Amino acid sequence: LIDAAPRGEAPGTLAVLDPGQAWQDTGIETHGMDPVRVLGLAAAMGELPATLRVLVCEPATIGDPEDVNVGLSTEVAAAVAPAVELVRSLVSGLRTEVVS
């Protein structure tokens, strides 16, 4: 899973969240279910996949959740190539886990 997530870091900062901690205490809100909330609901229902990785990027701005922001900030755009490499690395690691 890949998403933007405001975590108080510098814009464009990438992080792989610990699946055991990423969605604790997120609350359930049926009209605003971002991926973290969906995973929180799935965890509460005991329905998480056996293996899950969550790659997040710190946004440069946090707007009104009702507004749609089109385009990427300079910092987030600069994080795209490193994010692609990180995804490749994560997929490679998952493939190794499956084979082992």
Side-chain angles (χ1 to χ4, degrees), residues 60-79:
T61 60
I62 303 168
D64 182 340
E66 299 298 320
D67 291 339
V68 175
N69 294 323
V70 178
L72 302 175
S73 67
T74 303
E75 299 91 344
V76 172

Side-chain angles (χ1 to χ4, degrees), residues 16-78:
V16 178
L17 300 182
D18 179 340
Q21 299 173 355
W23 36 79
Q24 292 178 355
D25 302 321
T26 59
I28 297 171
E29 182 183 317
T30 58
H31 293 288
M33 295 296 285
D34 61 41
V36 172
R37 289 185 187 275
V38 170
L39 291 171
L41 177 59
M45 296 172 65
E47 297 293 332
L48 287 176
T51 302
L52 179 66
R53 300 293 185 269
V54 182
L55 172 60
V56 298
C57 182
E58 183 75 32
T61 60
I62 303 168
D64 182 340
E66 299 298 320
D67 291 339
V68 175
N69 294 323
V70 178
L72 302 175
S73 67
T74 303
E75 299 91 344
V76 172

